[in-house]
Amino acid sequence: MKVSLLTTINEQKQTQLILKVSDTGIGIPEDNKARIFERFFQNDVPDSIVNQGSGIGLSITREFVRLHGGHITVDSMVNEGTEFTVYLVFPKTDIETSVPEPKLDLLITAGVEESAVSDPKFVWKSKKPVLMLVEDNEDFRFYLKDNLKEYYQIAEAANGKEGWQKILSIHPDLIVSDVSMPEMNGIDLCRKIKADKRTAHLPVILLTALTTEDEQLIGLETGASDYMTKPFNFEILLSKIRNLLQQQALSKKTYQKQVEFKPLETEIESVDDKFIRQLSFHIEKHLSDSAYTVDQLSADMNMSRVGLYKKVLPLTGKSPVEYIRSYRLLKSKPLLLKSQMTIAEVAYEVGFSNPKHFSKYFKQEFNMLPSAYALIKPDQEPV
């Protein structure tokens, strides 16, 4: 492969940068030249050639060049080689001044450093859902990230092993994973996700070039939410992601509303609703006891602490500690509105040992201080 770079001055006195990349390979047939920049297009090559690509690289290259106001051309002869030429035009002063080094953003599109993502205490600042992309092909991974970053925060991993570690530290809302990867493939990664209490609730979409029904069935039997074969329509993938995230959000809202409006509902049919009712009953029973812990709640529910966490998190979107606190805060609202108790007395009544902590968490939960909430007339209580 040969790379050359030169500059010229055009008629508008602008500097033109010309980059040429050439090889002495098998070349491209004339009737395929117009299609090589299409996504997923692949020219027929001998089976003896390894690393044949996925048909994404040239499409991405052309988009980059266009973003910089340039264009790219190709000149090729079969069995002789191919030459790509990139033309970029910019003001002369831009050449004379120092050119800043490009910033690599191969991990997160939200401008977050990799070290921050590896920190288990890391918290996403944006309200966009977080997607984890696990794909060993860099071009294809970039293609997915570039098209999804408008709607979601994107985390990346090059294989299942790396992806698993980042899933544990980042806690994404959904995982999109390739099937065929080194270190750990997508099937094994999906099994690992569904077998772990911390991640079992996460939806997984598997992507693969394998098209037989048996292979798709293996993927779905691991617990994957959906399965797509390459090449695919990106809009369909985006629609599947949105639907899965909406279903997940709807499930959480259902049980969050149950906590707020029906904490002691008695006529319940489903197993999950019965579990929530029993959970609320035990918290209600110990409402004013600030020393009531998750360990005691686990014992009252005849479950281990791990088992309780695994059950409560996917149903409510909260950990057991957060669920207990939310329940206490919800019970404080009618006391603030309708009783003659002080804020400190209300805090103690619903199990907070420190009124300042009560005020802090109340504001986080309802976006106002309890002192302001207590001034609202009962018939004007916000929904």
Side-chain angles (χ1 to χ4, degrees):
M1 178 178 293
K2 180 181 178 181
V3 179
S4 61
L5 182 67
L6 59 95
T7 59
T8 60
I9 304 297
N10 62 17
E11 296 178 354
Q12 289 76 32
K13 296 185 179 180
Q14 293 176 315
T15 300
Q16 180 174 250
L17 185 72
I18 302 174
L19 172 66
K20 293 180 179 288
V21 180
S22 60
D23 64 20
T24 55
I26 61 174
I28 302 170
E30 188 66 31
D31 54 352
N32 283 343
K33 286 183 182 179
R35 300 191 59 197
I36 60 172
F37 294 104
E38 297 177 7
R39 288 174 180 170
F40 298 115
F41 176 77
Q42 292 178 282
N43 188 35
D44 293 332
V45 297
D47 294 336
S48 58
I49 295 181
V50 296
N51 299 325
Q52 297 182 14
S54 59
I56 296 293
L58 286 175
S59 174
I60 293 173
T61 300
R62 183 176 62 176
E63 292 303 316
F64 268 136
V65 173
R66 285 180 176 177
L67 286 173
H68 288 81
H71 67 281
I72 183 172
T73 63
V74 59
D75 184 25
S76 183
M77 293 289 292
V78 175
N79 298 324
E80 291 188 16
T82 302
E83 181 177 78
F84 290 94
T85 305
V86 176
Y87 299 91
L88 296 173
V89 177
F90 42 89
K92 185 177 181 181
T93 55
D94 287 352
I95 288 292
E96 294 174 346
T97 58
S98 60
V99 179
E101 294 184 1
K103 295 182 179 179
L104 296 180
D105 190 16
L106 300 180
L107 181 66
I108 303 295
T109 63
V112 180
E113 297 295 335
E114 183 174 0
S115 57
V117 176
S118 61
D119 184 352
K121 297 180 180 178
F122 172 72
V123 178
W124 292 96
K125 294 181 179 180
S126 171
K127 293 184 179 180
K128 290 181 180 180
V130 180
L131 264 59
M132 168 63 74
L133 301 180
V134 188
E135 166 66 60
D136 62 321
N137 185 297
E138 290 187 15
D139 288 342
F140 188 66
R141 191 169 71 246
F142 180 88
Y143 162 72
L144 290 175
K145 182 181 74 171
D146 196 50
N147 283 275
L148 289 169
K149 66 183 181 182
E150 178 181 353
Y151 313 100
Y152 307 105
Q153 294 183 88
I154 307 298
E156 298 178 52
N159 56 64
K161 183 178 180 180
E162 179 187 350
W164 172 244
Q165 295 301 320
K166 290 184 178 179
I167 288 168
L168 292 179
S169 64
I170 295 173
H171 302 291
D173 296 289
L174 183 143
I175 297 118
V176 178
S177 175
D178 187 23
V179 169
S180 301
M181 296 182 294
E183 299 288 339
M184 180 191 298
N185 62 41
I187 299 295
D188 291 340
L189 174 62
C190 189
R191 288 196 182 103
K192 201 171 186 66
I193 291 169
K194 296 304 176 179
D196 193 293
K197 66 183 185 301
R198 298 166 293 180
T199 56
H201 62 287
L202 298 177
V204 179
I205 298 177
L206 292 177
L207 308 177
T208 184
L210 307 175
T211 58
T212 68
E213 290 185 355
D214 289 341
E215 289 159 341
Q216 294 182 37
L217 185 60
I218 291 173
L220 294 172
E221 285 178 344
T222 63
S225 304
D226 216 323
Y227 196 100
M228 296 187 67
T229 56
K230 302 175 185 176
F232 54 83
N233 186 313
F234 174 77
E235 294 300 326
I236 294 178
L237 173 63
L238 183 60
S239 178
K240 289 177 181 288
I241 292 173
R242 285 173 173 165
N243 290 340
L244 287 171
L245 291 176
Q246 288 173 358
Q247 291 171 14
Q248 192 178 44
L250 182 61
S251 177
K252 289 181 180 179
K253 285 183 179 180
T254 298
Y255 290 103
Q256 287 169 350
K257 288 182 179 180
Q258 174 115 5
V259 172
E260 182 170 358
F261 300 112
K262 299 181 181 179
L264 292 176
E265 186 70 48
T266 55
E267 296 182 2
I268 299 176
E269 296 293 334
S270 75
V271 173
D272 288 339
D273 286 351
K274 182 178 179 180
F275 173 82
I276 293 294
R277 177 174 61 84
Q278 292 174 339
L279 195 69
S280 301
F281 170 79
H282 289 298
I283 299 173
E284 181 81 23
K285 185 177 177 181
H286 300 276
L287 185 64
S288 61
D289 182 4
S290 61
Y292 189 63
T293 65
V294 174
D295 288 331
Q296 292 172 303
L297 178 59
S298 301
D300 289 338
M301 294 292 292
N302 295 317
M303 301 176 70
S304 67
R305 184 178 179 121
V306 170
L308 183 69
Y309 183 95
K310 183 178 180 180
K311 186 73 174 178
V312 171
L313 183 63
L315 286 179
T316 68
K318 300 177 183 290
S319 68
V321 171
E322 293 170 334
Y323 185 91
I324 293 173
R325 184 168 63 236
S326 292
Y327 191 97
R328 294 183 190 277
L329 292 170
L330 288 167
K331 295 295 292 187
S332 74
K333 293 174 74 176
L335 295 177
L336 289 168
L337 286 178
K338 301 175 183 179
S339 75
Q340 302 299 317
M341 301 169 67
T342 66
I343 292 175
E345 289 172 338
V346 171
Y348 297 136
E349 183 67 21
V350 296
F352 284 86
S353 60
N354 188 324
K356 290 185 178 180
H357 290 167
F358 168 70
S359 296
K360 171 187 172 183
Y361 287 120
F362 191 95
K363 189 174 188 305
Q364 287 180 358
E365 189 85 6
F366 306 118
N367 202 28
M368 67 170 61
L369 290 169
S371 56
Y373 186 84
L375 297 176
I376 299 174
K377 294 181 180 180
D379 59 347
Q380 297 178 342
E381 181 182 1
V383 179

